[in-house]
């Protein structure tokens, strides 16, 4: 076997190298030249991400078995790598807006952000359970630190520890599941998984494999915050700095679902109806519970935790369907969700109050203070609520149609009924923005960083609402 | 550009222009008015030439949704109603009372675009998208520019509407499964073959019944009508209720005739109960805006009664009456709005004998009231006569009972006129004087239409009759 890497292989790996280099530069700069770090780490981070985007687009596909054993170079990888890099850029912008208001060191922060994005990319590229685990852990460990990044905030440490403990529990489940799967089929590679499962003869091996799958599912459900594995999410989201909350509600959520898609939609499509049954049993409580609890939230970061859980419920619907044909609907939903959530957080960055975050009554009268901000937030919330004619409706419709064709009528009906609740709690926020009586004269800070993200999110939502066909076609063309 | 596409895009683009352009005050209102007249002008120029016009673009091929609009006789009646009422609702707004006029006029034109799309949609998914979309501009119009409790009323309105049509998407998907298309014309032949057809019919009827509203689904109505500004009330009463009626005609009677026919006793019973409930509630009111709101509710249920009677005459009458009700209720709310701004309240107690102070407003209101109580020679007489005629052919007793409701409407309407305009002259406070030329000019088209339809009913019957024939024809084939 060829054990050396040629230049093509290195070029294929270049996005990861660029992220590594960028991350190291930022970290070293923080250690040796703090003043520089303060000034330039944001710029270096953005440059790193942009360079990586170019690298992903230009990079050749490596055929070297040394790499393909661990990493996939398919369109799924390419799409999600770009997507995650864009998420990284958006998070960096929101973080810059945050650091304008809150005093803290910058270098480690951006290093951790870059590492988290690297973890996400590894998840998307994973061709083996070990790469997947590596990606998830790189992501999680960076996030444990990021959650407690504001060391002086009262709840930050508590929530970081909570996240760390429950997260390691999730990781343990995942790793144990991988071990069991390996015990069952003798390999951790995705490419042979389906065939070796079908080739399994003894019921003992089958049992091993299936319990391994169950553990992996639980581990990923922890990361995706699916009821009943969601308990960490509200507290952690609430106590983390707002840009980290934004990154978690988009990046982590999507990362966990990409892992689900990698394993269960691409590697093991409909391997056993039992699994699909199980996922649909998770979807019901997730949809119902999250939507009911979200009705009563007044802290926006906590609110977005529940809103994120309810969207996870929606994303479980295509997983329950479980065939590769739902992938376009699934990814389209992720894209719309990411745009709308980032747009909403961009607006929250303007009214954010550090450790307190944003409460519902901080938004009171926002329309009269700043009609543009209120307009952006309204559009994003309506998209999250799935209101036509926004892209949110199309995304939900796409998922419902896929679920419908697979005859998951119950999920469609519960999903539709919960959208009524969702409409109520998203519109409650909208309604607050249009209230005249603002209790305190909330000053809206100026922040060009957040404004850029808000404008991009709005543009993306508008394009996706009016003519999403190119994206849908592209997604359908390779999945 | 095809005329139909222009008809849809003109208000949409106008709405965006109004949001962006830096006009304000009077020039803005004039600009909004001119832009809102474009659809009416287009309709008048093409008039019957537009019948049969179609546009069909594959908008979202992955979702099998086509941007398919088409115009038939039924659509044309409702298109005219929309095109006439939107400019009047713009004129009804007093520019000094509207904060953020750009947003206000933009939303009205956005609503116009959605309504035009809705009344011409030939694709069931598109129909659903427009059906839900039109709620948004209305929600904001009520929520931002209305009475003291407007935000609660707007939220209640929206949640009711969404709850009513929550399952519509599921029903649409079930219908899709019968023929693998969303095309309404194709579905006419296949709708009955769905195993769940009665459930689907019930879901659609519920959605339309909440929006119109049919008794007893009207709990949102008093608050929404009364808290909205005059413009908002005109849009709600004149146009939104017509969307429900159009839905029953387009989907209920064309797709599910056998079920509407089978449920006719129940639905007719509810509608007649609604007629009397509305009339009695109006009779008890001491607030003239609420009185007109209940009278609108009563009359709308009269129209629904016409739809649920299984005869071609009453269907034709209901279509005519839908148009007439739109015109008359707009006129009444307009006149009531002028009175309210002049006496500073909508309560009966704020004045009497106003005819003394404002003779022109009094005579104008009296004319509209007489049209509302179906005086021969006015528009409502024609429509109600047709409905009663159709009902008489089926059940003379019921026709007699329903006929009584016209007497009721005379009683409550004239009670209002009597108490406020006649009796002892006495005013608590007065802002401004009698209506002038401007108001008379705004009212003139309404007066003209009331008389035109009343004296020369053929002007509208020539569209409503082919439409009802088409329904009868469609039923003949599918029954």
């Amino acid at each position: 076997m060829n054990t050396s890497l040629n230049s093509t292989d290195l070029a294929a790996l270049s996005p990861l190298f660029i992220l590594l280099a960028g991350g190291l530069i930022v970290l070293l700069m923080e250690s040796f030249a703090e003043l520089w770090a303060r000034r330039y780490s944001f710029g270096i981070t953005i440059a790193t991400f942009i360079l990586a985007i170019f690298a992903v687009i230009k990079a050749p596909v490596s055929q070297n078995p040394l790499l393909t054993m661990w990493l996939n170079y398919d369109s799924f990888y390419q799409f999600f790598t770009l997507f995650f890099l864009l998420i990284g850029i958006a998070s960096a912008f929101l973080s810059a807006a945050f650091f304008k208001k809150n005093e803290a060191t910058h270098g480690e922060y951006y290093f951790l952000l870059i590492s988290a994005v690297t973890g996400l990319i590894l998840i998307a590229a994973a061709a083996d359970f070990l790469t997947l685990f590596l990606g998830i852990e790189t992501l999680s460990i960076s996030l444990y630190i990021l959650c407690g990044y504001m060391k002086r905030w009262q709840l930050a440490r508590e929530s970081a520890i909570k996240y760390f403990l429950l997260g390691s529990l999730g990781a343990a489940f995942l790793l144990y599941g991988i071990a069991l799967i390996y015990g069952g089929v003798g390999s951790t590679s995705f490419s042979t998984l389906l065939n070796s499962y079908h080739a399994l003869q003894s019921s003992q091996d089958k049992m091993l494999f299936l319990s391994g799958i169950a553990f992996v599912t639980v581990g990923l459900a922890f990361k995706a915050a699916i009821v009943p594995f969601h308990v960490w999410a509200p507290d952690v989201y609430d106590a983390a700095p707002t840009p980290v909350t934004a990154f978690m509600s988009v990046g982590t959520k999507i990362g966990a679902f990409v892992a689900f898609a990698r394993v269960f939609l691409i590697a093991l499509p409909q391997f056993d109806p039992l699994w699909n049954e199980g996922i649909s049993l998770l979807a019901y409580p997730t949809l119902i519970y999250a939507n009911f609890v979200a009705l009563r939230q007044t802290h926006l970061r906590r609110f977005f935790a529940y809103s994120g859980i309810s969207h996870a419920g929606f994303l479980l619907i295509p997983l329950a369907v479980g065939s590769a044909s739902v992938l376009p609907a699934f990814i389209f939903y992720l894209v719309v969700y990411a745009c709308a959530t980032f747009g909403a957080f961009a607006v929250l960055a303007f009214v954010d109050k550090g450790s307190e975050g944003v409460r519902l009554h901080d938004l009171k009268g926002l329309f009269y203070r700043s009609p543009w901000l209120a307009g952006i937030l309204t559009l994003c919330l309506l998209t999250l609520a799935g209101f036509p004619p926004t892209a949110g409706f199309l995304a939900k419709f796409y998922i419902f149609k896929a679920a419908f064709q697979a005859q998951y009528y119950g999920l469609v009906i519960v999903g539709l009924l919960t959208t009524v609740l969702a409409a109520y709690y998203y519109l409650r926020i909208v309604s607050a923005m249009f209230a005249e009586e603002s209790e305190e004269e909330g000053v809206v800070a100026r922040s060009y960083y957040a404004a850029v993200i808000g404008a991009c999110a709005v543009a993306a939502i508008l394009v996706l609402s009016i003519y999403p066909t190119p994206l849908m076609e592209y997604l359908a063309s390779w999945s | 550009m095809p005329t139909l596409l222009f008809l849809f895009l003109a208000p949409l683009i106008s709405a965006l222009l109004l949001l962006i352009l830096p006009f304000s005050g009077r020039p803005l209102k004039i600009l909004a008015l001119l832009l809102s007249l474009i659809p009416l002008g287009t309709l008048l120029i093409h008039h019957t030439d537009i019948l049969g016009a179609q546009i069909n673009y594959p908008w979202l091929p992955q979702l099998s949704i086509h941007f398919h609009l088409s115009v038939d006789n039924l659509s044309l009646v409702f298109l005219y109603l929309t095109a006439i009422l939107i400019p009047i609702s713009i004129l009804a707004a007093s520019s000094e009372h509207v904060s953020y006029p750009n947003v206000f006029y933009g939303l009205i034109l956005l609503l116009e675009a959605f309504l035009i799309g809705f009344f011409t949609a030939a694709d069931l998914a598109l129909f659903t998208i427009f059906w839900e979309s039109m709620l948004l501009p209305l929600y904001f119009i009520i929520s931002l520019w209305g009475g003291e409790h407007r935000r609660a009323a707007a939220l209640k309105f929206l949640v009711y509407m969404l709850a009513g049509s929550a399952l519509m998407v599921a029903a649409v998907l079930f219908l899709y499964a019968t023929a693998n298309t969303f095309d309404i014309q194709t579905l006419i032949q296949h709708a009955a073959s769905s195993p769940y057809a009665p459930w689907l019919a019930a879901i659609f009827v519920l959605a339309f019944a909440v929006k119109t509203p049919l008794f007893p689904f009207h709990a949102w109505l008093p608050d929404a009508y009364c808290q909205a500004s005059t413009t908002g009330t005109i849009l709600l009463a004149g146009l939104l209720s017509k969307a429900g009626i159009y839905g029953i005609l387009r989907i209920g009677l064309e797709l599910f005739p056998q079920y509407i026919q089978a449920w006719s006793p129940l639905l007719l019973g509810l509608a007649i109960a609604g007629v009397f409930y509305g009339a009695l509630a109006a009779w008890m009111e001491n607030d003239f805006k609420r009185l007109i709101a209940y009278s609108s509710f009563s009359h709308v249920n009269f129209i629904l009664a016409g739809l649920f009677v299984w005869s071609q005459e009453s269907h034709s009458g209901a279509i005519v009456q839908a148009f007439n009700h739109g015109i008359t209720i707009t006129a009444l709310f307009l006149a009531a709005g002028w009175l309210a701004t002049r006496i500073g309240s909508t309560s009966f107690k704020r004045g009497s004998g106003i005819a003394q102070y404002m003779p022109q407003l009094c005579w104008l209101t009296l004319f509209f009231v007489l049209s509302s109580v179906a005086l021969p020679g006015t528009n409502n007489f024609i429509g109600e006569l047709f409905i009663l005629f159709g009902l008489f052919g089926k059940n003379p007793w019921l026709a007699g009972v329903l006929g009584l409701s016209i007497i009721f409407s005379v009683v409550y309407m004239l009670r209002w006129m009597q108490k406020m305009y006649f009796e002892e002259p006495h005013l608590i406070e007065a802002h401004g004087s009698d209506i002038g030329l401007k108001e008379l000019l705004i009212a003139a088209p309404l007066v003209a239409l009331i008389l035109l339809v009343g004296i020369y009913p053929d002007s509208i019957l020539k569209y409503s009759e082919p439409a009802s024939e088409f329904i009868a024809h469609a039923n003949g084939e599918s029954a």
Side-chain angles (χ1 to χ4, degrees):
Chain A
M1 202 165 98
N2 179 13
T3 54
S4 68
L5 294 172
N6 59 28
S7 58
T8 320
D9 304 330
L10 290 176
L13 280 176
S14 60
L16 292 174
F17 287 136
I18 291 171
L19 289 176
L20 181 66
L24 282 179
I25 292 173
V26 173
L27 192 60
L28 288 173
M29 212 155 68
E30 174 66 30
S31 321
F32 297 110
E34 213 172 316
L35 198 66
W36 283 21
R38 194 165 289 267
R39 248 183 239 160
Y40 301 119
S41 36
F42 169 71
I44 293 173
T45 311
I46 296 295
T48 308
F49 283 137
I50 289 175
L51 267 180
I53 287 178
F54 276 110
V56 174
I57 295 171
K58 295 281 175 204
V61 172
S62 162
Q63 305 291 346
N64 192 328
L66 212 58
L67 289 184
T68 52
M69 220 166 86
W70 306 107
L71 299 172
N72 268 311
Y73 285 100
D74 50 5
S75 308
F76 185 89
Y77 151 80
Q78 203 170 27
F79 177 81
F80 273 105
T81 308
L82 286 178
F83 190 34
F84 287 138
L85 288 169
L86 290 174
I87 288 177
I89 292 179
S91 304
F93 268 95
L94 291 184
S95 310
F98 176 80
F99 285 126
K100 282 249 162 194
K101 285 199 226 168
N102 297 277
E103 207 45 40
T105 51
H106 295 41
E108 308 104 271
Y109 182 91
Y110 288 110
F111 164 72
L112 291 167
L113 184 63
I114 294 174
S115 330
V117 171
T118 313
L120 285 172
I121 292 173
L122 282 177
I123 295 174
D128 190 292
F129 268 119
L130 296 183
T131 328
L132 185 78
F133 184 75
L134 191 66
I136 287 179
E137 279 308 277
T138 313
L139 168 70
S140 302
I141 291 171
S142 317
L143 275 176
Y144 300 146
I145 310 172
L146 282 176
C147 282
Y149 196 76
M150 300 307 286
K151 281 164 282 200
R152 301 240 170 83
W153 289 7
Q154 225 172 6
L155 291 172
R157 265 169 295 172
E158 184 194 323
S159 85
I161 292 201
K162 196 179 242 174
Y163 188 25
F164 172 66
L165 288 177
L166 287 174
S168 357
L169 198 63
F173 268 106
L174 188 61
L175 203 54
Y176 195 41
I178 294 171
L180 289 179
I181 290 172
Y182 181 73
V185 297
S187 157
T188 52
S189 166
F190 290 162
S191 55
T192 55
L193 218 49
L194 191 59
N195 291 333
S196 26
Y197 169 65
H198 286 309
L200 286 183
Q201 295 298 330
S202 79
S203 64
Q204 211 171 6
D205 285 345
K206 250 190 182 151
M207 201 60 201
L208 264 183
F209 181 83
L210 286 179
S211 28
I213 289 290
F215 277 108
V216 168
T217 308
V218 170
L220 291 179
F222 257 113
K223 302 288 173 191
I226 288 164
V227 175
F229 310 107
H230 67 287
V231 278
W232 59 272
D235 289 347
V236 174
Y237 278 48
D238 196 20
T242 308
V244 176
T245 309
F247 181 77
M248 277 197 287
S249 47
V250 180
T252 317
K253 183 86 51 185
I254 294 180
F257 275 99
V258 165
F260 266 123
R262 253 298 174 220
V263 182
F264 295 107
L265 294 184
I266 296 176
L268 287 169
Q270 290 176 320
F271 67 103
D272 196 323
L274 195 65
W275 187 79
N276 303 63
E277 187 87 351
I279 289 294
S280 76
L281 286 182
L282 285 177
Y284 285 111
T286 307
L287 281 170
I288 294 168
Y289 174 82
N291 280 298
F292 269 104
V293 181
L295 289 175
R296 301 178 56 87
Q297 301 308 317
T298 53
H299 283 61
L300 271 273
R301 286 197 295 232
R302 189 171 273 272
F303 169 82
F304 271 101
Y306 285 108
S307 136
I309 297 172
S310 87
H311 284 281
F314 272 104
L315 287 163
L316 284 177
I317 297 177
L319 280 184
V321 175
S323 62
S325 62
V326 296
L327 213 49
F330 181 75
I331 299 174
F332 186 71
Y333 194 98
L334 288 177
V335 173
V336 172
Y337 170 75
C339 294
T341 309
F342 265 126
F345 272 101
V347 175
L348 296 191
F350 282 87
V351 282
D352 186 40
K353 284 190 185 153
S355 66
E356 277 179 52
V358 183
R359 284 158 305 166
L360 189 57
H361 70 77
D362 294 333
L363 289 174
K364 267 198 178 157
L366 184 67
F367 176 73
Y368 302 95
R369 281 180 272 156
S370 169
W372 282 106
L373 283 184
I376 295 174
L377 188 52
T378 303
L379 180 70
C380 293
L381 292 175
L382 291 175
T383 307
L384 286 173
F387 242 103
T390 64
F393 176 80
L394 298 178
K396 287 210 163 87
F397 195 85
Y398 207 172
I399 281 191
F400 285 143
K401 190 158 171 266
F404 196 85
Q405 279 162 345
Q407 304 193 318
Y408 281 88
Y409 301 140
L411 279 177
V412 173
I413 287 169
V414 170
L416 281 170
L417 290 177
T418 54
T419 54
V420 180
L421 296 177
Y424 175 78
Y425 59 71
Y426 285 116
L427 281 167
R428 207 164 64 112
I429 301 176
V430 174
S431 187
M433 286 192 287
F434 293 114
E436 256 154 11
E437 64 279 8
S438 101
E439 277 162 24
E440 49 203 279
E441 275 307 303
V443 188
V444 177
R446 284 180 184 279
S447 170
Y448 295 106
Y449 297 118
V452 170
I453 298 303
C456 292
V458 165
I461 290 174
L462 288 181
V463 170
L464 289 177
S465 307
I466 295 166
Y467 196 60
T469 305
L471 177 64
M472 287 183 180
E473 261 169 12
Y474 169 70
L475 293 176
S477 69
W478 49 261
S479 47
Chain B
M1 192 192 297
T3 319
L4 195 48
L5 187 62
F6 177 74
L7 201 61
F8 170 72
L9 284 182
L12 194 65
I13 294 168
S14 312
L16 294 179
L17 279 182
L18 286 176
L19 281 176
I20 296 165
L21 290 181
F23 283 89
S24 63
R26 241 187 127 66
L28 179 73
K29 188 170 174 180
I30 293 169
L31 179 69
L33 179 66
L34 290 178
L35 289 172
S36 76
L37 285 172
I38 294 175
L40 184 60
T42 317
L43 279 177
L44 285 173
I45 290 169
H46 293 277
H47 201 53
T48 49
D49 292 348
I50 205 174
L51 283 174
Q54 292 226 7
I55 51 168
N56 193 350
Y57 304 109
W59 179 36
L60 302 167
Q62 273 72 33
L63 296 178
S64 342
I65 300 178
H66 288 247
F67 195 81
H68 185 181
L69 306 180
S70 76
V71 182
D72 59 6
N73 283 297
L74 183 60
S75 306
L76 191 63
V77 173
F78 287 90
L79 281 180
Y80 262 114
L81 187 65
T82 311
I84 293 167
L85 292 192
I86 293 284
I88 290 179
S89 70
I90 289 179
L91 285 169
S94 53
S95 33
E96 61 267 32
H97 288 117
V98 176
S99 50
Y100 297 93
N102 295 62
V103 185
F104 183 70
Y105 297 124
L107 285 171
I108 294 178
L109 282 164
L110 192 64
L111 178 68
E112 181 170 26
F114 289 152
L115 281 167
I116 289 174
F118 176 73
F119 288 136
T120 54
D123 181 290
L124 193 57
L126 196 63
F127 178 92
T128 314
I129 291 175
F130 284 129
W131 167 262
E132 304 259 0
S133 302
M134 72 176 84
L135 296 176
L136 281 180
L138 275 168
Y139 166 79
F140 288 113
I141 288 170
I142 303 172
S143 182
L144 276 165
W145 300 274
E148 207 181 330
H149 305 294
R150 57 184 187 274
R151 284 183 301 120
L155 200 54
K156 182 172 169 186
F157 159 77
L158 195 71
V159 172
Y160 254 91
M161 294 292 148
L162 287 177
S165 49
L167 289 178
M168 209 160 123
V169 170
V172 168
L173 288 170
F174 269 107
L175 279 177
Y176 176 81
T178 60
N180 271 326
T181 173
F182 287 122
D183 185 57
I184 294 178
Q185 288 307 316
T186 319
L187 286 174
I188 288 179
Q189 274 113 51
H190 293 89
S193 68
S194 169
Y196 306 98
W199 290 100
L200 307 186
I203 288 171
F204 279 112
V205 168
L206 176 69
F208 302 140
V210 173
K211 207 175 246 181
T212 309
L214 173 70
F215 180 82
F217 303 106
H218 62 279
W220 59 270
L221 178 136
D223 282 348
Y225 276 36
C226 294
Q227 292 301 325
S229 62
T230 305
T231 306
T233 319
I234 289 174
L235 296 173
L236 280 173
L239 290 173
L240 186 82
S241 63
K242 303 308 169 296
I245 288 168
Y246 178 83
I248 289 178
L249 282 159
R250 184 58 86 204
I251 305 297
L253 295 184
E254 288 185 9
L255 258 58
F256 301 104
Q258 64 277 41
Y259 298 107
I260 305 284
Q261 199 168 5
W263 300 336
S264 171
L266 171 69
L267 293 171
L268 189 60
L270 289 178
I272 291 177
V275 171
F276 283 97
Y277 179 88
L280 288 174
W283 197 358
M284 294 297 127
E285 271 304 331
N286 279 319
D287 177 307
F288 58 84
K289 202 169 178 189
R290 288 180 86 93
L291 182 145
I292 301 173
Y294 278 117
S295 110
S296 168
F297 174 60
S298 172
H299 282 114
V300 162
N301 276 271
F302 201 113
I303 301 170
L304 289 175
L307 290 180
F308 298 139
V309 178
W310 209 253
S311 89
Q312 204 184 317
E313 289 82 20
S314 64
H315 286 166
S316 172
I319 298 168
V320 173
Q321 194 53 14
F323 183 81
N324 289 338
H325 175 262
I327 300 293
T328 304
I329 204 68
T330 302
L332 279 173
F333 275 120
L334 202 57
W338 287 333
L339 181 60
T341 49
R342 277 164 181 74
I343 65 172
S345 157
T346 55
S347 164
F348 277 19
K349 301 201 173 70
R350 299 300 291 263
S352 59
I354 296 168
Q356 182 94 14
Y357 309 102
M358 301 170 192
Q360 299 196 37
L361 181 58
C362 171
W363 299 124
L364 191 65
T365 312
L366 188 61
F367 177 78
F368 292 149
V369 162
L370 291 178
S371 145
S372 161
V373 302
L375 190 76
T378 62
N379 54 354
N380 282 279
F381 177 71
I382 308 299
E384 298 197 346
L385 190 68
F386 264 82
I387 294 175
L388 287 174
F389 181 72
L391 185 56
F392 192 80
K394 299 280 164 182
N395 188 338
W397 287 102
L398 220 46
V401 172
L402 193 59
L404 274 180
S405 77
I406 298 180
I407 300 174
F408 265 108
S409 73
V410 176
V411 172
Y412 63 74
M413 276 298 180
L414 290 185
R415 177 173 160 268
W416 172 42
M417 289 305 292
Q418 173 71 25
K419 284 211 163 184
M420 294 212 72
Y421 280 100
F422 304 116
E423 287 191 0
E424 279 297 295
H426 142 79
L427 260 188
I428 291 180
E429 57 178 307
H431 315 268
S433 50
D434 199 359
I435 54 170
L437 188 61
K438 191 183 120 200
E439 282 89 350
L440 286 178
L441 279 178
I442 297 175
L446 296 171
V447 174
L449 278 168
I450 288 172
L451 290 176
L452 175 71
V453 178
I455 294 166
Y456 180 62
D458 207 33
S459 56
I460 177 164
L461 283 175
K462 66 182 174 202
Y463 305 112
S464 75
E465 276 177 345
S468 60
E469 267 165 32
F470 176 77
I471 293 168
H473 184 65
N475 296 344
E477 275 185 358
S478 56

